[in-house]
């Protein structure tokens, strides 16, 4: 028996399970190891925060999906691996051997300089923790006069979460102040000027204060680089991805930041029996943004290559598109569309995003129900 271990239930592994549900090679045993039996879809997080979706509309139950794929599901954290010995180590102390391993374990939020905030700090990743914590933030804000919320991060996630939080707080009658802190690179640095202008207008319209400065933890909240103090009852960090620490000790080749180095087939550069996709890896041949878009698009390629490795067939290459469609939710049922230098906004953009997101969830629910 060839033992394929899928570590993590991320977006790319959803496609792997989908492919295996259609049929798997004979003599193949599959194990899915993931911390929870549910995969929360990051694309619907802002809409859920704003109150447009129920929680169960934003997640995929991995149990029936694993069953359809003929996989054994183990709900446990992966805390380490020995790539030379071909095994992973679980949080319960158990080790698990593999013949072929695929890693889609994600990343964590880089909270450097913010740890002193303690319970005030809420990183956006792990997503499971964020989904658990946000209702408590709303409850605290509703009973706290002059509640102040800071969101750190000038990328799409920071903008979306700041606007979603504003919508939810105003809906609940809160007068909370929201601050969005971005680095010296500015707001949405990887997007076209038209998108940036549209986002700035939305922030101004909702009275979200925009600060272009680095920030660190202070006694009562944050301290900006120039010394300005921003009181904050809660700080949401969307400050970029940091590789899981154990990857650097795994024996796998990693880049300077600790992410697994993979080739165009998403195969490890150092170990031919290991593949990786999503936030946990870095391509050695092309620069690729850490975006759920790439994890979703690389998933079918990863699925093909895992089966092709077992059957001795040719591998396929994942070629990232030079531009991607981004749909940025702005709080109400309104969104900004971005494609290269083109941009647009309106309720219709939100409905387009809603259709795409719901279709993504439904795709895997249908497999589970088959």
């Amino acid at each position: 028996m060839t033992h394929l271990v899928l570590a993590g239930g991320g977006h790319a592994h959803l496609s792997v399970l989908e492919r295996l549900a259609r049929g798997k090679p004979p003599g193949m045993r599959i194990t899915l190891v993931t911390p929870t039996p549910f995969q929360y879809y990051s694309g619907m997080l802002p809409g859920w925060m704003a109150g447009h979706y129920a929680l169960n509309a934003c997640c995929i139950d991995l149990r029936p999906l694993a069953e359809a794929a003929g996989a054994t599901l183990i709900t446990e954290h992966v805390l380490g691996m020995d790539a030379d010995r071909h095994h992973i180590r679980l949080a319960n102390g158990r080790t698990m051997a593999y013949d072929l391993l695929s890693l889609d374990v994600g990343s964590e939020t880089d909270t450097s300089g913010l740890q002193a905030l303690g319970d005030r700090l809420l990183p956006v990743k792990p997503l499971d923790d964020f989904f658990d914590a946000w209702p408590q933030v709303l409850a605290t804000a509703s009973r706290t006069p002059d509640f102040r919320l800071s969101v750190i991060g000038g990328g799409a996630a920071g903008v979306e979460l700041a606007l979603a939080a504003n919508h939810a707080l105003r809906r609940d009658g809160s007068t909370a102040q929201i601050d969005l802190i971005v680095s010296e690179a500015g707001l949405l640095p990887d997007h076209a000027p038209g998108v940036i202008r549209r986002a700035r207008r939305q922030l101004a319209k909702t009275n979200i204060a925009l600060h272009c400065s680095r920030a660190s933890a202070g006694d009562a909240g944050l301290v900006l680089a120039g010394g300005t103090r921003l009181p904050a009852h809660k700080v949401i960090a969307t400050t970029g991805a940091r590789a899981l620490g154990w990857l650097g000790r795994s024996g796998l080749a990693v880049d300077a930041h600790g992410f697994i180095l993979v080739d165009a087939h998403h195969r490890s550069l150092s170990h031919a029996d290991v593949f990786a996709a999503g936030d946990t890896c870095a391509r050695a041949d092309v620069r690729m943004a850490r975006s759920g878009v790439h994890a979703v698009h690389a998933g079918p390629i990863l699925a093909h290559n895992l089966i092709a490795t077992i059957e001795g067939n040719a591998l396929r290459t994942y070629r990232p598109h030079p531009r991607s469609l981004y749909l940025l939710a702005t709080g109400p049922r309104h969104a900004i569309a971005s494609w290269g230098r083109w941009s647009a906004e309106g309720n219709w953009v939100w409905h387009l995003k809603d259709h795409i997101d719901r279709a993504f969830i439904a795709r895997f629910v249908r497999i589970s129900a088959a």
Side-chain angles (χ1 to χ4, degrees), residues 7 33 44 47 70 74 76 108 116-117 132-133 155 157-158 173 182 225 246 253 277 281 291 318 324 328 338:
V33 184
M44 296 177 81
I74 296 177
E76 192 60 84
E108 59 188 12
L117 288 167
D132 287 341
V182 306
W246 60 264
C281 70
S291 165
Y318 172 58
S324 298
L328 309 181
S338 168

Side-chain angles (χ1 to χ4, degrees), residues 217-233:
D219 293 339
L222 298 171
V223 179
L224 304 185
T228 301
R229 296 183 179 275
L230 283 181
H233 293 88

Side-chain angles (χ1 to χ4, degrees), residues 84-173:
D84 296 328
R85 290 185 169 186
H86 317 286
H87 70 240
I88 59 173
R89 180 169 56 84
L90 308 184
N92 60 11
R94 176 186 171 192
T95 60
M96 179 181 294
Y98 60 82
D99 298 302
L100 186 62
L101 173 68
S102 182
L103 293 164
D104 189 11
V105 291
S107 61
E108 59 188 12
T109 304
D110 185 358
T111 56
S112 303
L114 300 173
Q115 294 91 338
L117 288 167
D119 292 342
R120 294 178 185 232
L121 180 63
L122 176 56
V124 69
K125 293 181 179 179
L127 272 180
D128 293 5
D129 294 346
F130 190 91
F131 271 96
D132 287 341
W134 175 244
Q136 301 170 32
V137 176
L138 284 180
T140 301
S142 68
R143 61 176 182 265
T144 305
D146 302 320
F147 186 87
R148 294 196 66 157
L149 172 69
S150 289
V151 180
I152 306 180
V159 172
E160 285 193 293
L161 266 59
L163 290 165
N166 176 79
H167 184 77
L169 289 164
R170 301 296 171 256
R171 179 200 62 204
D172 289 353

Side-chain angles (χ1 to χ4, degrees), residues 44 53-59 358 361:
M44 296 177 81
Y53 302 116
L55 184 61
N56 61 7
C58 307
C59 68
R358 287 183 185 274
I361 296 289

Side-chain angles (χ1 to χ4, degrees), residues 74-85:
I74 296 177
T75 53
E76 192 60 84
H77 285 273
V78 177
L79 291 186
M81 69 175 288
D82 188 326
D84 296 328
R85 290 185 169 186

Side-chain angles (χ1 to χ4, degrees), residues 5-20:
V5 174
L6 305 175
H11 298 346
H13 277 175
L14 293 175
S15 292
V16 175
L17 293 170
E18 178 185 43
R19 171 60 184 84
L20 292 170

Side-chain angles (χ1 to χ4, degrees), residues 266-286:
H266 277 258
R267 191 177 214 166
S268 164
L269 292 189
S270 60
H271 292 74
D273 58 352
V274 177
F275 287 75
D279 277 0
T280 198
C281 70
R283 283 280 289 270
D285 56 331
V286 295

